[in-house]
Amino acid sequence: MCAVPAAVAFIVLLLTGCGGARDATGAGGSAAADGAEIDGSITVFAAASLTSTFTDLAGRFEDGHPGTEVRLTFAGSSDLVTQIIEGAPADVFASADTRTMQRVSDEGLLAGTAVDFATNTLQLAVPPDNPAGISSLADAARPGVKTVVCAEQVPCGAAAVAVADAEGVDLDPVSEESSVTDVLGKVTSGEADAGLVYGTDVRAAGGSVLGIDLAEAGAGATTYPITALAESPEAATAQAFVDFVTGPEGRAVLTAAGFGAP
C-alpha cells in the first residue's frame, strides 16, 4: 500500500525537477543568445538626406545594445551603390529610392528583402531673405536665377525631373550635385538662389534656409528602403539595426524629422 504513494511521489518529484531545469535553461539560454548576438561593429551606408536622423538612431541603437558600434557613411545613394558593388565593406544600406536599391539587389548583394521605411518629397530651399524673390518652381527657372539640383542619377535629381515635368517647367540649373546635402550647401553658402532638396533637409537646416512648397511635389515623392547586406560579418547586428530603424522608435525619430510613413 505504501509503495504506490512512494512511487507516485518519486515520479512527481522527477517531473517537477525536469520542469524546473527546462524553465531555467530556456530563460537563461534566451538571454545569453540575445546578449551574444547583438554586439560588434557595423558600417551603415546611408543616403545623404538621412544624415541627421541616422546619426541620432545610431546613438540610440548603441545605447540600447552596449558593446555595439555603428559607423556611418553618408553620400548620394548612387555613389554608395557603386562603392558597395565594387566591394566596399558595408553591413547595412539605406537608399533614398527603390531604383538604387534594385541595383544592389540585381548584384545579389542583399541579405534578404529590402524594407521600405520612409518617404520624402522635395521643396525649394532659398536663402532666408530670398533675394531672388522666388515663390514657385517657375520662378526658379527664370533667366538669371541661379538654381541648383541633384544630378539625375541621384534620387533627389530624379525626383526633381519628375516634379519639373509635372509642373511643365524647364529648369536650367547652374550646377548638378552628387548629393542633396551638396545642393543645400550651395544655397546656405550664397552660391545659389534656390535649390531643390528634400523637405526634411529644409527642416534640419533650421533658419539657414527658407522652404517653399512645390505644387506637384507628390510627383517626385520617393520611398526609402533599407537592408542588411549579404557579405556582412556581423549579420545579426546588421539585421538588428534594420529592425530598429523600421521599428517604433525608428519610426518616431523619422516622423519627428519630417519623413512620411512608407
Side-chain angles (χ1 to χ4, degrees), residues 105-256:
S105 178
D106 290 344
E107 295 290 331
L109 298 176
L110 305 189
T113 302
V115 180
D116 295 340
F117 68 95
T119 57
N120 216 341
T121 54
L122 296 180
Q123 277 190 313
L124 270 172
V126 301
D129 57 351
N130 194 9
I134 295 169
S135 62
S136 67
L137 191 61
D139 288 340
R142 293 195 319 254
V145 174
K146 294 178 289 184
T147 298
V148 181
V149 300
C150 291
E152 189 172 349
Q153 67 269 24
V154 182
C156 58
V161 171
V163 171
D165 287 348
E167 294 198 17
V169 172
D170 185 16
L171 288 174
D172 184 22
V174 294
S175 72
E176 297 183 351
E177 306 298 324
S178 61
S179 74
V180 70
T181 51
D182 291 339
V183 173
L184 191 64
K186 292 282 188 179
V187 178
T188 57
S189 67
E191 296 178 64
D193 298 314
L196 275 164
V197 301
Y198 294 116
T200 53
D201 295 294
V202 171
R203 181 181 295 200
S208 61
V209 296
L210 174 68
I212 296 172
D213 291 336
L214 299 167
E216 297 293 338
T222 186
T223 298
Y224 290 63
I226 186 171
T227 184
L229 295 171
E231 299 300 318
S232 171
E234 299 286 351
T237 304
Q239 186 58 50
F241 183 78
V242 171
D243 294 342
F244 178 71
V245 171
T246 58
E249 188 169 355
R251 177 74 259 140
V253 169
L254 289 158
T255 298

Side-chain angles (χ1 to χ4, degrees), residues 48-69:
S49 53
L50 295 167
T51 299
S52 179
T53 51
F54 267 46
T55 299
D56 184 2
L57 289 170
R60 291 170 182 250
F61 182 81
E62 291 173 341
D63 289 343
H65 299 284
T68 61
E69 179 188 10

